[in-house]
């Protein structure tokens, strides 16, 4: 499980776990970059709880993942800047990334390579 607290700081993390369930990311007056390109979960659901204040979080995820955005915004934004690609595998292979928490005076950017 991921646990990041970047207060007045920056943090970069590359997740390669094939049993990644999610975690907590707290960013205040700083920034975090989380690369999930090699992460997976056999249950096909990953949940991240984000708390962003006066900062930013960049999530790098595969373009075929589904994003369920449950973030509460106050003068903040959540932007999915991925070029959505179709996935050749079975529909049961698609991972759903659930984003919960809050974004106040900050930004959360979702992108892929």
């Amino acid at each position: 499980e991921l646990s990041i607290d970047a207060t007045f700081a920056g943090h970069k993390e590359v997740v390669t776990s094939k049993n990644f369930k999610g975690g907590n990311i707290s960013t205040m007056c700083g920034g975090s970059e989380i690369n999930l390109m090699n992460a997976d979960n056999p249950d096909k659901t990953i949940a991240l709880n984000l708390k962003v204040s006066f900062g930013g979080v960049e999530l790098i995820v595969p373009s075929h993942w589904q994003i369920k955005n449950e973030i509460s915004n106050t003068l903040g934004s959540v932007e999915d800047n991925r070029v959505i690609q179709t996935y050749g595998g079975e529909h049961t292979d698609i991972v759903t990334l659930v984003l919960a928490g809050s974004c106040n005076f900050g930004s959360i950017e979702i992108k892929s390579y």
Side-chain angles (χ1 to χ4, degrees):
E1 186 170 299
L2 194 62
S3 180
I4 295 173
D5 184 3
T7 303
F8 293 101
H11 186 93
K12 285 188 176 187
E13 186 87 24
V14 177
V15 179
T16 58
S17 173
K18 298 304 178 194
N19 192 24
F20 181 63
K21 294 180 175 30
N24 298 302
I25 301 169
S26 176
T27 301
M28 187 169 78
C29 298
S32 296
E33 178 183 303
I34 313 303
N35 186 329
L36 300 173
M37 291 297 288
N38 294 311
D40 199 2
N41 185 307
D43 297 331
K44 301 303 176 198
T45 301
I46 295 173
L48 288 176
N49 185 32
L50 295 103
K51 183 178 177 186
V52 181
S53 297
F54 298 98
V57 172
E58 185 176 288
L59 298 173
I60 304 166
V61 301
S63 61
H64 64 274
W65 280 15
Q66 292 182 354
I67 306 292
K68 185 174 180 186
N69 181 8
E70 299 176 353
I71 300 286
S72 171
N73 291 316
T74 303
L75 297 174
S77 68
V78 178
E79 297 180 14
D80 190 347
N81 294 325
R82 298 176 298 156
V83 175
I84 304 301
Q85 297 178 359
T86 56
Y87 180 59
E90 296 292 324
H91 290 292
T92 57
D93 291 341
I94 297 175
V95 173
T96 300
L97 178 62
V98 180
L99 303 177
S102 64
C103 182
N104 303 312
F105 302 98
S107 67
I108 299 169
E109 180 183 8
I110 304 161
K111 65 182 191 176
S112 62
Y113 295 127

